[in-house]
Amino acid sequence: MSGTFVGMPAFPEAARVAVGDPTLRANLRHATHTIRDKRARAVAELDDWAELREAGRRIKDRTLRHLDTYLLQLEESVTAAGGTVHWAADAAEANRIVTALVRATGETEVVKVKSMATQEIGLNEHLAAEGIAAYETDLAELIVQLGEDRPSHILVPAIHRNRGEIRDIFRERMGAWGRPAPDGLGDAPAELAEAARLHLREKFLRAKVGISGANFMVAETGTLVVVESEGNGRMCLTLPETLISVVGIEKVVPTWRDLEVFLQTLPRSSTAERMNPYTSMWTGTADGDGPRAFHLVLLDNGRTDALADEVGRQALRCIRCSACLNVCPVYERAGGHAYGSVYPGPIGAVLTPQLRGTASEVDASLPYASSLCGACYDVCPVAIDIPGILVHLRRRVAEEGGKGHRLEKAAVRAASWLLDRPAALAAGERLASASRAVLPKRLPGPGVGRWTEHRDLPELPAEPFRDWWRKNRA
């Protein structure tokens, strides 16, 4: 996985700044509460939701157990349908493959469907460095791109922006990227959507190369699936002469019958709809219909490492619905940018450290970006035990050691030595009671101090319990 956002601090520091922004908190609270309430009503319509959830979990687990078999079947199916499959071990290799494919067409610009995988590998930035302009066509991604911003939500990347901020971005930045915003643009949703439609239509009609991700890949037929709500995906997938899809290897499902389960659970969990307005499927190439060349780039980038972890691998079940973000009290207050990754919220807190490792301070802090309340597990449509993985990853971070964990281990060793020596323990208790008037109420230091920053230490008694017992009960 590509590195963290440049200059990102660890989650606690980033979250502290975000929590102090009242506009951000108001935007997040309004959006997440609205989405999750609608989702709850949509899910309640299905009497067999629990059965669908269990079916999705089992399909994903079975696929992950035999991932090598299904990926090879997928490659055969895509190739037989006229497509070309490329394998990318990491972000650098995926970026090189896509850049070479675009250059082979002679084009210097591409249109893009919203894609978490391409954000993960930093494809837009890599293409820009190679002189190729990549234009985002999803409305929220367009807002993020024009605002020189970062996505903060899996489903709604611009969730941290309100309508007034979006209007200002369109007025100030659209002209630099193509057709400018209409004069006198207001902040009504219809006006903003129309400005985006006019701006993007020129790009759709001009582009010769499209880049997408995929929500699912069907191994038995080589079919790729994109679900979206705006129609921009349909334009990107059908109008260009060359289509390049960058997809994580975990997105494969064995059969069309398996796909049917997820086409019920994904829309209701993500957009609270019974079905997506646009469900686009394509299988290779066809004469006179759609792109003349199709390339599928299968991305590993840490996924096989996650697959090797018996506890953590269930994070690869994720279908990117974002339901866990919308119920998470931590995400609601801190926002997505604090996670330092394109995968924010509870799923990002378990997925990112597995894809990138926990060597950096940001990644090591993510498993602690949770209250472990369990709401994320309750709403997950594929039953990922996110709290369980968080605890598992916390143990891994502690075992690897860090400045806070080294201090913790030293404290435990000191406590073990003291508890093994009753006389020394008794002397220490008497000393602590005698000096209780001058002892601090909060412990100093960046590691321990953070724990007691909002908690007073317990007040010490006037005498140790063993002394009281000896006087009163002996």
Side-chain angles (χ1 to χ4, degrees):
M1 191 170 182
S2 58
T4 58
F5 295 136
V6 176
M8 279 298 299
F11 182 86
E13 288 74 22
R16 182 176 289 108
V17 174
V19 167
D21 185 338
T23 301
L24 174 65
R25 291 191 62 177
N27 294 346
L28 289 169
R29 182 170 57 252
H30 172 74
T32 55
H33 282 238
T34 299
I35 296 171
R36 76 189 191 195
D37 290 345
K38 290 174 60 181
R39 177 204 174 274
R41 291 193 295 271
V43 167
E45 293 178 353
L46 295 183
D47 294 333
D48 62 344
W49 178 260
E51 289 78 8
L52 284 169
R53 185 178 190 240
E54 177 63 13
R57 181 191 70 79
R58 292 189 179 191
I59 291 168
K60 281 290 187 175
D61 282 350
R62 171 166 52 89
T63 305
L64 291 172
R65 284 197 302 270
H66 306 287
L67 188 58
D68 54 345
T69 300
Y70 291 123
L71 288 173
L72 291 175
Q73 183 184 8
L74 175 70
E75 181 182 33
E76 292 177 0
S77 300
V78 170
T79 303
T84 304
V85 176
H86 310 262
W87 299 80
D90 54 26
E93 186 173 9
N95 284 330
R96 286 196 300 270
I97 291 170
V98 175
T99 302
L101 293 173
V102 176
R103 280 181 171 166
T105 68
E107 297 295 316
T108 58
E109 62 180 28
V110 301
V111 289
K112 290 185 70 229
V113 190
K114 179 177 178 291
S115 164
M116 301 297 294
T118 60
Q119 291 174 352
E120 175 188 327
I121 64 176
L123 179 61
N124 287 12
E125 294 77 9
H126 182 84
L127 291 176
E130 298 293 329
I132 300 169
Y135 299 118
E136 297 289 351
T137 64
D138 174 83
L139 176 56
E141 289 288 357
L142 174 65
I143 294 165
V144 169
Q145 186 174 53
L146 293 179
E148 298 180 347
D149 202 350
R150 299 187 303 270
S152 63
H153 191 277
I154 289 176
L155 180 67
V156 193
I159 196 173
H160 57 289
R161 297 289 193 182
N162 59 39
R163 292 184 301 177
E165 292 173 313
I166 296 169
R167 175 204 58 209
D168 294 341
I169 289 171
F170 280 9
R171 284 177 175 178
E172 297 168 8
R173 298 288 300 162
M174 259 188 178
W177 287 76
R179 178 170 179 154
D183 293 336
L185 177 66
D187 64 359
E191 289 186 64
L192 297 173
E194 178 66 8
R197 188 189 71 83
L198 294 173
H199 176 82
L200 292 171
R201 186 56 57 95
E202 292 182 351
K203 294 178 169 36
F204 289 138
L205 297 177
R206 186 176 66 237
K208 302 295 184 183
V209 180
I211 295 178
S212 82
N215 295 96
F216 307 101
M217 304 179 290
V218 183
E220 69 175 349
T221 60
T223 302
L224 273 71
V225 184
V226 163
V227 295
E228 41 107 6
S229 301
E230 300 171 17
N232 64 296
R234 184 69 56 85
M235 303 284 273
C236 288
L237 297 168
T238 57
L239 291 178
E241 296 175 359
T242 299
L243 174 61
I244 305 167
S245 298
V246 182
V247 191
I249 55 177
E250 81 281 14
K251 294 297 187 70
V252 66
V253 296
T255 67
W256 276 86
R257 184 177 181 179
D258 299 323
L259 178 64
E260 182 264 343
V261 172
F262 301 111
L263 291 184
Q264 292 186 71
T265 55
L266 178 56
R268 290 177 187 268
S269 277
S270 57
T271 56
E273 296 170 300
R274 296 178 179 90
M275 67 179 293
N276 287 90
Y278 295 89
T279 300
S280 300
M281 304 182 182
W282 68 101
T283 307
T285 59
D287 293 337
D289 183 21
R292 293 198 289 269
F294 169 57
H295 297 271
L296 171 59
V297 181
L298 291 172
L299 178 68
D300 183 338
N301 206 35
R303 285 159 174 79
T304 52
D305 292 335
L307 188 63
D309 187 326
E310 293 184 1
V311 176
R313 71 173 58 146
Q314 59 183 302
L316 297 177
R317 293 182 203 151
C318 178
I319 58 175
R320 308 292 192 267
C321 71
S322 77
C324 62
L325 280 70
N326 301 323
V327 298
C328 178
V330 176
Y331 175 86
E332 180 186 326
R333 288 157 179 79
H337 291 159
Y339 293 81
S341 166
V342 299
Y343 301 113
I347 189 60
V350 297
L351 187 60
T352 300
Q354 294 191 83
L355 297 182
R356 292 197 307 217
T358 54
S360 75
E361 188 176 1
V362 176
D363 297 326
S365 71
L366 290 179
Y368 298 88
S370 171
S371 65
L372 299 180
C373 68
C376 50
Y377 170 71
D378 292 339
V379 299
C380 178
V382 286
I384 301 172
D385 182 10
I386 293 177
I389 306 175
L390 286 167
V391 172
H392 170 69
L393 292 175
R394 290 180 184 186
R395 178 178 178 179
R396 179 193 297 178
V397 171
E399 289 174 347
E400 291 175 352
K403 56 184 180 182
H405 298 291
R406 286 193 293 270
L407 179 62
E408 180 184 24
K409 287 182 177 180
V412 170
R413 284 194 296 269
S416 298
W417 182 92
L418 189 63
L419 292 172
D420 281 341
R421 293 162 176 81
L425 177 62
E429 290 171 345
R430 294 188 183 101
L431 177 62
S433 293
S435 59
R436 66 191 185 114
V438 297
L439 291 176
K441 290 190 176 295
R442 295 188 178 92
L443 295 177
V448 181
R450 185 177 295 128
W451 175 252
T452 61
E453 183 178 354
H454 303 290
R455 303 173 179 85
D456 287 339
L457 290 172
E459 186 174 346
L460 289 171
E463 60 180 340
F465 175 77
R466 70 177 69 228
D467 292 350
W468 179 91
W469 181 267
R470 186 177 295 111
K471 287 191 299 184
N472 294 279
R473 291 290 185 271

